[in-house]
């Protein structure tokens, strides 16, 4: 683990694997709420075997990343700024430089793989920084805040419950149940224990500040997904079969992405893959099928 200091002084924990091997294409992995970047360990191992290098990082208040003094200030734009600042820092650019000057080089990513809020963030980042991402893999994400969707706020009560309890323990337990279910947890005790420990590194402040982004009226990627054809070369969507109504909603998102590629005159088929029996983080409970879904896409 490395720590990068953002301009505000806030720490951001990250890891850059095989950074001294620039011939390896670089993939950035972006997490869901309550997930620390160690969630991706088994995926990272496969990506290494396939010849890639990986950048992983933690959202505010997750892992060793710090939070702003104003917990309500976090938005998807500010989260995108955090990642852009990291990628443009000498800590990263020196390993992309080659014959270029590290002070002027803007690294390009072979792929951004995001799950949940990390997927929505990938869309925001791609549109804000066209050309920095070649391949965008969008997994298990809502498209907007509850207020923009005209739905009840499911997030605020979770923050209130965590604050009342004074600990994240019950929140982690409830999230484990919602994401994986008792049957999978019992049948995969070692992996469930590993994941639970990583989730427990999320602070209550981190939970609240990232939920502020998810609740914000500024969170709405519906107008952005149709613009992805202008910003990236390829897009693929993946969703767990058991992830509530997201298979339906992500099918609608896929259609909007496809319309954008069609309008741009690009001969591109945007695919949606549903991972059988998997939930909100399908690279955990649908690992084998998830790997089979993403590897051909990453060979673009």
């Amino acid at each position: 683990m490395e720590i990068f200091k953002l301009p505000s002084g806030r720490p951001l924990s990250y890891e850059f694997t095989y950074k001294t091997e620039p011939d390896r294409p670089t993939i950035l992995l972006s997490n869901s709420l309550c997930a620390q970047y160690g969630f991706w360990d088994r995926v990272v191992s496969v990506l290494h075997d396939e010849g890639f290098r990986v950048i992983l990082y933690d959202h505010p208040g997750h892992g060793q990343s710090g939070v702003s003094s104003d917990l309500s200030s976090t938005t998807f734009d500010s989260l995108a700024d955090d990642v852009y600042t990291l990628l443009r820092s000498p800590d990263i650019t020196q390993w992309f430089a080659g014959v270029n000057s590290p002070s002027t080089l803007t690294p390009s990513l072979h792929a951004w793989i995001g799950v949940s809020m990390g997927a929505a963030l990938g869309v925001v980042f791609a549109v804000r920084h066209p050309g920095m991402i070649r391949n965008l893999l969008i997994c298990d994400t809502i498209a907007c805040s509850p207020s923009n969707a005209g739905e009840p706020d499911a997030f605020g009560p979770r923050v209130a419950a965590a604050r009342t309890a004074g600990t994240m323990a019950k929140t982690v337990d409830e999230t484990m149940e919602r994401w994986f279910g008792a049957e999978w947890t019992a049948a995969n005790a070692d992996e469930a224990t590993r994941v639970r420990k990583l989730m427990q590194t999320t602070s209550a402040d981190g939970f609240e500040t990232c939920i502020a982004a998810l609740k914000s009226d500024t969170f709405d990627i519906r107008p952005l997904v149709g613009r992805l054809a202008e910003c990236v070369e390829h897009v693929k969507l993946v969703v767990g079969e058991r992830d509530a109504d997201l298979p339906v909603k992500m099918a609608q998102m896929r259609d909007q992405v496809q319309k954008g590629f069609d309008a741009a005159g690009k001969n591109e088929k945007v695919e949606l893959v549903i991972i059988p029996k998997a939930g909100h983080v399908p690279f955990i409970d649908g690992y084998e099928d998830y790997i089979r879904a993403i590897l051909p896409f990453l060979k673009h």
Side-chain angles (χ1 to χ4, degrees), residues 9-55:
R10 179 164 52 87
L12 185 151
S13 52
Y14 77 99
E15 185 173 342
F16 191 179
T17 69
Y18 288 95
K19 60 186 177 183
T20 60
E21 298 186 21
D23 289 339
R24 286 177 173 256
T26 304
I27 296 175
L28 183 142
L29 304 178
S30 190
N31 300 325
S32 61
L33 179 70
C34 270
Q36 192 268 345
Y37 71 62
F39 258 53
W40 296 95
D41 281 356
R42 291 201 295 169
V43 176
V44 170
S45 179
V46 172
L47 296 179
H48 288 167
D49 290 344
E50 294 294 327
F52 299 105
R53 58 183 183 168
V54 179
I55 296 175

Side-chain angles (χ1 to χ4, degrees), residues 115-257:
V115 171
S116 189
M117 67 180 291
L121 182 57
V123 174
V124 172
F125 188 96
V127 174
R128 285 169 66 90
H129 305 289
M132 272 189 79
I133 300 169
R134 185 178 185 210
N135 303 297
L136 179 60
L137 214 157
I138 304 170
C139 309
D140 295 80
T141 186
I142 58 175
C144 61
S145 63
S147 60
N148 284 324
E151 298 174 352
D153 174 19
F155 295 116
R158 295 177 193 171
V159 172
R163 290 301 189 186
T164 298
T167 172
M168 286 289 291
K170 186 177 180 182
T171 297
V172 168
D173 288 344
E174 291 174 347
T175 304
M176 287 284 297
E177 172 63 26
R178 187 166 58 251
W179 285 0
F180 304 114
E183 182 179 350
W184 182 89
T185 300
N188 299 271
D190 289 346
E191 180 68 350
T193 297
R194 183 185 79 89
V195 167
R196 186 186 300 274
K197 287 180 179 178
L198 291 170
M199 292 174 71
Q200 289 169 344
T201 68
T202 306
S203 68
D205 283 352
F207 187 62
E208 180 173 341
T209 202
C210 287
I211 279 183
L214 289 162
K215 289 180 57 176
S216 172
D217 290 342
T218 66
F219 172 38
D220 192 347
I221 62 171
R222 292 173 297 182
L224 305 183
V225 293
R227 296 171 54 190
L228 288 174
E230 309 163 12
C231 307
V232 303
E233 293 184 25
H234 308 285
V235 178
K236 186 170 187 173
L237 293 83
V238 176
V239 66
E241 179 185 30
R242 296 176 176 174
D243 194 1
D245 62 351
L246 281 187
V248 172
K249 289 184 176 179
M250 291 197 66
Q252 297 168 348
M253 186 183 297
R254 187 215 72 89
D255 291 345
Q256 293 303 309
V257 177

